[in-house]
Amino acid sequence: MSKRQASPGMDGVLAIWKPAGWTSHDVVAKARRLLGVKRIGHTGTLDPAVTGVLPLCVGRATRFVEYLQEMPKTYEAVLRFGLATDTEDLEGEVIEEADASHLSEERIRDAVLSFVGEIEQIPPMMSAVKVNGKRLYELAREGVTVERKPRKATIHDIDILHVAAGSPRPEIRFSVRCSKGTYIRTLCVDIGRRLGVPAVMASLIRTESAGLRRQDCVTLEEIPALVQSGELAEKLIPGDRLLTHLPRTTAASLECLHAIQGKPIPAARLQPVPSGSRLWLVDREDGGFLGIFEWEEESGRLRAVKVFPPEGEREPDGKEAD
């Protein structure tokens, strides 16, 4: 491992399996106390009732948060037909009931799979979207409902795991891989609407985030023993190792130094020549990760967006790298 990938401090991404009843903020606060590290951030909020993968960026890896958040996430959801609540899940007040026993398994499957692709969703009131400077869930707790604009989301794939039809409250369990900003509870409601019946999200588990799955996670209860035994470092994953959605390009060490300093690098010095606007730069000689850069094709320049020099070195603006 090159010196650019190593750090003497506690740096990296720690995947936590979030328990039910905890907010994402609760998990961060608890991990901060257990690890004795101030700089920790998560890569995507989970509601208290939802369990699953919650990646925590620790130390210098907090600078990866915004890029890891952009990656697709995978959930396992249970949708229940014939029931609707004001929160779109079972935590809320029932606002509508209907007999959905007429829904066949085939109709249910067809309706669910029809949502694969780009969709539009109206954010639920129980969400962190801000309207006039206030988060929707804060307004919802005050009993206020406001108009929300639809937002685009992408459903990359849906895998139907089980269908229980033929009762007044049919259910379907499915796995969905989706883009950032997708509301699974709203997806459940919209599927029901397409079938002409009320629907609600009965349960939700996040099974993948930032490329991390259940087998990559530790629980909050396991952290103290890992810290005491010195094994926690083995669970910390370098943030750049997870940025698989960004294309790479490499340059010789001198050009890499110039890039960090904000100097232009000719395309001929890069291998391969950049094909996308945002990419990461790697030192061809030692494999060290330099940071996130933007390729400006018209000017033929690499522009630094966020650089990761070795621990203790300074960034181009003169500030200590964090």
Side-chain angles (χ1 to χ4, degrees):
M1 182 179 292
S2 75
K3 66 178 182 178
R4 291 189 180 92
Q5 294 169 307
S7 171
M10 189 174 289
D11 300 306
V13 180
L14 181 65
I16 297 291
W17 188 260
K18 191 189 89 65
W22 290 60
T23 67
S24 298
H25 178 75
D26 291 338
V27 174
V28 169
K30 180 70 171 180
R32 185 177 286 121
R33 291 194 297 271
L34 292 174
L35 300 176
V37 176
K38 291 184 178 181
R39 296 178 60 196
I40 299 181
H42 66 75
T43 63
T45 302
L46 285 177
D47 292 335
V50 180
T51 62
V53 182
L54 182 66
L56 302 184
C57 293
V58 182
R60 297 178 82 207
T62 53
R63 304 181 73 230
F64 287 104
V65 166
E66 62 187 289
Y67 304 103
L68 296 178
Q69 285 178 337
E70 294 174 354
M71 299 176 68
K73 298 175 176 63
T74 304
Y75 297 88
E76 185 175 306
V78 174
L79 187 169
R80 184 176 300 169
F81 298 100
L83 188 70
T85 71
D86 58 355
T87 58
E88 302 182 352
D89 62 14
L90 294 182
E91 299 290 307
E93 299 270 342
V94 175
I95 56 175
E96 186 180 359
E97 295 184 74
D99 186 339
S101 56
H102 63 284
L103 295 179
S104 66
E105 179 175 337
E106 182 179 8
R107 284 189 65 197
I108 293 173
R109 285 178 175 270
D110 288 345
V112 172
L113 294 176
S114 70
F115 280 81
V116 175
E118 188 174 83
I119 63 173
E120 282 194 345
Q121 293 186 316
I122 295 177
M125 285 301 300
M126 292 304 293
S127 67
V129 173
K130 283 188 175 182
V131 174
N132 296 326
K134 203 160 187 178
R135 298 196 183 277
L136 288 177
Y137 66 77
E138 295 174 335
L139 294 171
R141 288 168 184 166
E142 297 171 2
V144 177
T145 300
V146 296
E147 185 177 352
R148 290 94 72 198
K149 294 181 179 180
R151 295 185 168 201
K152 292 186 184 296
T154 301
I155 305 298
H156 298 291
D157 185 54
I158 293 178
D159 183 18
I160 295 175
L161 305 174
H162 179 70
V163 181
S167 70
R169 299 284 187 272
E171 289 189 348
I172 180 169
R173 183 165 57 92
F174 61 94
S175 175
V176 53
R177 189 168 185 266
C178 55
S179 65
K180 171 188 174 183
T182 303
Y183 298 99
I184 306 301
R185 66 177 68 201
T186 302
L187 174 65
C188 291
V189 170
D190 289 343
I191 290 171
R193 187 175 290 116
R194 183 157 296 184
L195 288 166
V197 297
V200 68
M201 185 184 76
S203 68
L204 186 66
I205 302 171
R206 184 194 277 166
T207 57
E208 180 187 9
S209 179
L212 300 169
R213 295 181 174 273
R214 179 67 181 93
Q215 60 267 27
D216 303 306
C217 293
V218 300
T219 64
L220 290 170
E221 292 76 15
E222 292 172 330
I223 291 179
L226 290 168
V227 171
Q228 188 173 14
S229 66
E231 297 176 84
L232 184 69
E234 299 174 10
K235 301 293 183 180
L236 288 169
I237 304 168
D240 58 286
R241 192 181 299 173
L242 301 175
L243 297 178
T244 56
H245 63 300
L246 293 178
R248 300 187 188 193
T249 190
T250 69
S253 294
L254 180 59
E255 280 73 31
C256 288
L257 178 60
H258 289 170
I260 290 179
Q261 295 171 341
K263 298 177 182 178
I265 300 179
R269 301 290 182 91
L270 300 170
Q271 296 178 3
V273 175
S275 58
S277 60
R278 182 158 292 187
L279 62 152
W280 62 358
L281 180 64
V282 175
D283 190 318
R284 192 179 306 146
E285 296 173 15
D286 66 11
F289 171 71
L290 271 296
I292 310 295
F293 289 77
E294 281 189 349
W295 174 246
E296 300 173 345
E297 189 173 0
E298 290 186 5
S299 63
R301 296 169 60 99
L302 264 188
R303 184 177 67 84
V305 176
K306 189 168 290 190
V307 299
F308 291 81
E311 185 77 20
E313 291 191 11
R314 294 180 177 272
E315 296 188 35
D317 61 3
K319 296 181 180 179
E320 187 80 19
D322 61 2

